[in-house]
Amino acid sequence: MNSSTGLELNYEKKLFISRDDREFNIDEDSWRLNKNVVVAVKWMSRLAPIVEASLKSVLARSAEEYAAETVKGLNDETRRYFNITEDREFLVDSLISYRSALSRDEEQKLAKIRMLVRNWTDWGYPGISREVMGLLDGWRLRGMEKGKAIKRLDPEEGPLTEIEMSALIDAMLQAYISGQISLSDYALSTILVYTGRRPIQITSLKIKDICSRKAGEVDEYWINFPRAKQRFSKWRTEFNVYPITEDLWNLLSLHARKISEKVADLVGCELTNQIIQELPLFPDFDAIRKCKDASALLAASLGNELHVERDSCNEVMRTLEALLDVNSERTGSRLNLSTRRFRYTLGSNIAREGKGELIIAEALDHSDTQNVGVYVKNLPDVVERIDRAVALQLAPLAQAFQGVLIESEAEAERGGDKSSRVGNAEVNVGNCGSYGFCGAMAPIACYTCRHFQPWVDGPHEIILDELIDKRDQVLRNTQDIKVASSNDRLILAVAQVIRRCNAKKAERLQLEQC
């Protein structure tokens, strides 16, 4: 093993400050490096004493210089290596055996170990032999294949289709209106869906990051997103502007107002505008309850202690996936939701519009273009033309129709009200069961509405033909498949109604023949 002089002074240092300004003691079993990341180091006790001491010192020093996630990755991969090899130090034979058991994508685990070992020797700590360092330096390790889910257009992990996104957005809105999900969960999930930001960027938002201004006669709305994964940058020191719609701004403004009111109630005092602006957009209310007055709240709000943990985004996605009955037209099963899929979808949609790698990188908040080429090379699968046969085939999988099929107007919720009839200037196709005002364009939008009650004998084929003809016309005129496919979910909903009507008619005929 290498030897070094003067290292006793390094080992004597007990308190370290992480890059996110969190103090931790190297002798503790775990180190909290920021709001979201805890590094467990108790496992090192079974290593050789000199290896344990050096490894802890290397990780602690890394925590001062690298992002918390990076340090956690170094620790996790090193622990995995020693758990598998059952060694007490790094050995050449064990490293060779370990590498031989890894797949192509898994070789990046060794890259993390090599990074750790290089710092270990560069910083002069003992416990690593020259043979080990020479072996690792001589290896050419393959990186993980990037963008596999995007390349393969994976229906479970890859980008969502327009039909899937439309169904999800509609279902989220209905769940919020009906009280199935809270305003907070609706706001968080809507940001995820529309912006494709990373969870840490969303949970790091403050109320002051939701912005608007008057530019001449035009109102502009945007979010100042804290950047993430920028090397050497600290929490909320770099930002990127992301334009949003007025509707999203109104939703987030309503959410921000509710948050400030709840925080004022918890702290028991009136909040100044300065405090309100510094409040997290998605707060950890348990942490806020610990603030006894306005001054304590303001002091705490300047750091990340009052923000929810990053995994809150994943928790909301898990809640939505279990709650919303949204099917994929590709699998026929419930739509799999994850925060990463919305980033994939955003990048894929921009590529489909013909934009280049620089624009995609900017939209996804990448510092360079090295990871965005996969979007340009693998555009998402879009049906260039939907005819009646394709629509009828996909309809049962998409489950886009949300209403209730009825035999006739006599069975309708508002059957006695002629104004409840749904149709166009030429034909009626059903009834609306809602007593509230609706500004949607009937009868087209009705087929995806849960209040729609289509008639079994209604002329739904006419509506289907109109939608398909209009789709073809838009595609011919614009050459833009994204615009042309905007009503694809509606087409599948009408097709699903037609299939159900045909099944009902077949049942009638069978009964008549008995």
Side-chain angles (χ1 to χ4, degrees):
M1 291 186 183
N2 291 341
S3 62
S4 183
T5 60
L7 286 171
E8 293 76 16
L9 295 176
N10 291 333
Y11 289 140
E12 287 177 359
K13 183 177 178 180
K14 301 299 180 184
L15 297 180
F16 290 78
I17 305 294
S18 75
R19 204 178 79 170
D20 293 314
D21 296 322
R22 286 293 190 106
E23 184 178 80
F24 64 94
N25 190 317
I26 195 172
D27 288 335
E28 293 178 348
D29 291 339
S30 61
W31 310 336
R32 180 168 288 280
L33 304 185
N34 62 26
K35 175 77 176 183
N36 301 291
V37 177
V38 175
V39 176
V41 296
K42 186 178 180 180
W43 68 271
M44 297 179 191
S45 60
R46 64 180 177 80
L47 301 179
I50 191 65
V51 175
E52 177 189 6
S54 292
L55 178 54
K56 281 187 175 181
S57 296
V58 171
L59 279 178
R61 181 168 170 180
S62 297
E64 294 180 320
E65 300 186 16
Y66 297 105
E69 278 290 350
T70 300
V71 179
K72 187 177 187 301
L74 295 175
N75 179 67
D76 290 347
E77 293 306 332
T78 305
R79 177 176 55 191
R80 184 178 289 108
Y81 168 81
F82 280 115
N83 283 343
I84 291 175
T85 64
E86 298 183 348
D87 292 335
R88 301 179 72 234
E89 61 181 297
F90 285 107
L91 299 174
V92 168
D93 289 346
S94 295
L95 282 166
I96 294 173
S97 298
Y98 183 71
R99 184 188 184 186
S100 66
L102 298 177
S103 66
R104 173 191 173 88
D105 284 348
E106 291 176 326
E107 280 202 4
Q108 48 87 26
K109 297 177 180 179
L110 267 174
K112 292 182 179 179
I113 292 176
R114 180 166 63 184
M115 173 184 171
L116 175 83
V117 170
R118 279 176 175 167
N119 285 341
W120 192 324
T121 56
D122 289 346
W123 293 339
Y125 288 98
I128 298 292
S129 69
R130 293 176 179 173
E131 290 78 14
V132 164
M133 191 65 254
L135 177 70
L136 289 172
D137 267 342
W139 276 346
R140 184 174 180 178
L141 302 176
R142 295 172 293 186
M144 180 184 293
E145 183 184 356
K146 296 177 181 178
K148 284 194 298 184
I150 303 168
K151 292 177 182 178
R152 299 170 185 173
L153 301 175
D154 192 310
E156 294 290 343
E157 303 293 339
L160 301 172
T161 65
E162 288 288 325
I163 297 173
E164 290 166 345
M165 279 288 281
S166 177
L168 175 62
I169 291 168
D170 286 351
M172 285 166 47
L173 176 58
Q174 291 302 321
Y176 169 60
I177 292 174
S178 63
Q180 291 179 287
I181 61 174
S182 66
L183 173 60
S184 178
D185 284 357
Y186 182 52
L188 188 148
S189 57
T190 303
I191 296 178
L192 270 170
V193 169
Y194 280 105
T195 71
R197 297 301 90 175
R198 299 181 179 94
I200 188 64
Q201 293 178 279
I202 294 174
T203 58
S204 296
L205 286 171
K206 292 182 180 290
I207 287 178
K208 65 181 181 182
D209 296 323
I210 309 304
C211 306
S212 67
R213 70 181 175 193
K214 193 83 172 178
E217 297 182 358
V218 179
D219 292 317
E220 295 180 345
Y221 307 94
W222 71 94
I223 300 176
N224 275 331
F225 275 110
R227 302 198 71 190
K229 299 188 76 171
Q230 274 62 51
R231 193 175 183 184
F232 303 124
S233 67
K234 294 189 175 183
W235 183 72
R236 286 187 59 86
T237 56
E238 295 184 42
F239 295 84
N240 205 337
V241 172
Y242 193 96
I244 59 175
T245 63
E246 182 178 3
D247 286 343
L248 180 52
W249 183 87
N250 285 331
L251 170 65
L252 298 181
S253 296
L254 172 62
H255 170 65
R257 186 165 67 252
K258 297 295 185 181
I259 290 297
S260 62
E261 292 171 357
K262 183 173 181 177
V263 171
D265 289 341
L266 290 177
V267 180
C269 65
E270 187 174 345
L271 304 182
T272 65
N273 186 61
Q274 179 189 11
I275 294 177
I276 291 174
Q277 293 301 307
E278 291 293 340
L279 289 177
L281 190 63
F282 300 102
D284 180 345
F285 289 110
D286 289 336
I288 286 177
R289 289 186 180 94
K290 298 176 183 178
C291 300
K292 302 304 181 184
D293 52 38
S295 60
L297 179 64
L298 178 59
S301 67
L302 298 178
N304 65 0
E305 192 61 34
L306 302 184
H307 293 251
V308 294
E309 294 187 3
R310 178 188 52 209
D311 195 50
S312 296
C313 293
N314 295 318
E315 290 176 4
V316 171
M317 286 298 102
R318 287 191 287 268
T319 298
L320 289 181
E321 184 175 330
L323 182 66
L324 304 181
D325 189 19
V326 180
N327 277 26
S328 166
E329 81 280 4
R330 293 182 286 176
T331 66
S333 303
R334 180 167 291 188
L335 194 62
N336 178 46
L337 299 181
S338 69
T339 57
R340 187 169 295 178
R341 295 196 77 180
F342 300 119
R343 287 183 63 75
Y344 292 164
T345 305
L346 176 63
S348 298
N349 286 343
I350 296 173
R352 194 167 65 194
E353 293 171 2
K355 304 296 192 300
E357 294 184 4
L358 285 173
I359 294 177
I360 298 173
E362 174 68 19
L364 295 178
D365 196 28
H366 286 298
S367 296
D368 52 50
T369 61
Q370 63 175 334
N371 293 321
V372 300
V374 64
Y375 293 104
V376 178
K377 296 174 184 175
N378 296 273
L379 299 183
D381 187 23
V382 178
V383 181
E384 289 290 341
R385 186 175 189 279
I386 289 184
D387 56 21
R388 178 186 289 266
V390 171
L392 291 172
Q393 182 181 4
L394 292 178
L397 300 177
Q399 295 292 309
F401 169 60
Q402 300 296 312
V404 178
L405 191 67
I406 59 176
E407 284 286 347
S408 67
E409 190 171 32
E411 295 182 5
E413 179 76 16
R414 298 165 55 204
D417 183 358
K418 300 302 182 184
S419 67
S420 72
R421 288 179 178 174
V422 173
N424 56 24
E426 300 176 0
V427 296
N428 291 316
V429 293
N431 292 87
C432 175
S434 173
Y435 289 89
F437 171 77
C438 177
M441 184 178 293
I444 304 302
C446 300
Y447 283 86
T448 56
C449 176
R450 60 192 177 93
H451 297 296
F452 183 41
Q453 299 171 308
W455 305 333
V456 170
D457 294 313
H460 307 291
E461 290 85 355
I462 294 176
I463 306 300
L464 179 61
D465 290 340
E466 286 180 356
L467 282 170
I468 292 176
D469 289 344
K470 183 177 180 181
R471 186 188 196 274
D472 292 341
Q473 181 181 353
V474 170
L475 184 57
R476 285 194 303 269
N477 293 341
T478 67
Q479 299 298 310
D480 190 331
I481 187 61
K482 182 175 174 61
V483 175
S485 63
S486 60
N487 281 334
D488 281 0
R489 183 165 176 261
L490 286 170
I491 291 175
L492 297 188
V494 178
Q496 187 179 356
V497 170
I498 292 173
R499 285 179 63 101
R500 290 192 179 185
C501 290
N502 290 339
K504 280 286 185 181
K505 292 173 185 177
E507 288 178 13
R508 281 186 199 163
L509 182 60
Q510 190 174 16
L511 288 174
E512 291 173 358
Q513 293 174 345
C514 290

